[in-house]
Amino acid sequence: IGHGPPAILLNARDTVAKKGVRGLYYGLQPQLLQVSAKSSLRFVAFETYQRMLPGSTFTCGMLAGLTEALVLVAPTERLKILRTAELRAGAHSAGASSSVFHAAGALVREQGVAGLWHGAAPTAARQMLANGLRFFFYDHFKAALKGVSGSAAIA
C-alpha cells in the first residue's frame, strides 16, 4: 500500500496547476458527443431489431452492438487511438494534427475511408457481446421490476 495521496489526485493537482480547472475537462466534449450518439444509436437499433425478431432479446442486443460498432464505435475508437498516440508523441511534432477532425482527414488521405474501420472486427465482437448481455439483463430486470411494482408505468 502506497503512502501519500493516490496518483489520480496528484495528476488532478498537476493538471489544475498547469492548465487551470478547465484542464480537468480537456477532451470531455468529444467524449460526451460519442457516448450520447452511441447510446442513442444502440437503443434505436435494438428497438428496430426487436420489431423484426420479437422475443430474441440477446440476438437483438448483439445486432444492436454490431450496428453500433460499424456505424460509430469502430471509426471513433480508431481516431481516438491515433489522436492519443499523436498527443503522446508530442502534439506539436512535425505532421501532428491539431484536432480529431484533422486526424480524420489525414487518415482518410493516407489510408482511404476504409482506414477508419481498421480493427473493426474485434471492436464489433466486443460490442456485440456487451450489448447482447446488456439488453438481455435490461429486459429481464425491467420485467422483474414491472412484476414487483405491478405498475404499467414501467414499459
Side-chain angles (χ1 to χ4, degrees):
I1 298 177
H3 300 289
I8 192 167
L9 295 178
L10 295 173
N11 287 336
R13 183 191 67 196
D14 291 346
T15 299
V16 170
K18 292 176 185 172
K19 303 284 185 181
V21 174
R22 290 182 62 172
L24 294 172
Y25 298 95
Y26 179 79
L28 182 63
Q29 292 161 328
Q31 182 67 19
L32 285 175
L33 180 61
Q34 183 199 28
V35 169
S36 300
K38 186 169 66 167
S39 294
S40 300
L41 177 60
R42 176 188 309 141
F43 276 93
V44 167
F46 176 72
E47 290 173 356
T48 300
Y49 293 126
Q50 266 197 318
R51 285 191 296 277
M52 295 164 51
L53 303 166
S56 303
T57 304
F58 183 74
T59 301
C60 292
M62 287 184 66
L63 290 170
L66 177 63
T67 301
E68 171 186 272
L70 296 179
V71 172
L72 194 63
V73 179
T76 58
E77 289 289 320
R78 174 86 165 122
L79 291 172
K80 186 165 56 174
I81 288 166
L82 293 174
R83 184 69 177 130
T84 300
E86 274 186 357
L87 291 171
R88 284 192 178 141
H92 301 294
S93 62
S97 61
S98 60
S99 74
V100 73
F101 297 108
H102 287 99
L107 176 66
V108 169
R109 278 191 303 281
E110 292 172 15
Q111 299 178 14
V113 174
L116 290 167
W117 281 271
H118 180 79
T123 299
R126 180 189 71 214
Q127 295 303 113
M128 289 174 72
L129 181 58
N131 282 296
L133 291 170
R134 176 179 289 128
F135 283 110
F136 175 82
F137 287 113
Y138 166 81
D139 220 35
H140 283 77
F141 286 141
K142 186 171 81 170
L145 286 173
K146 195 174 186 178
V148 168
S149 72
S151 172
I154 301 173

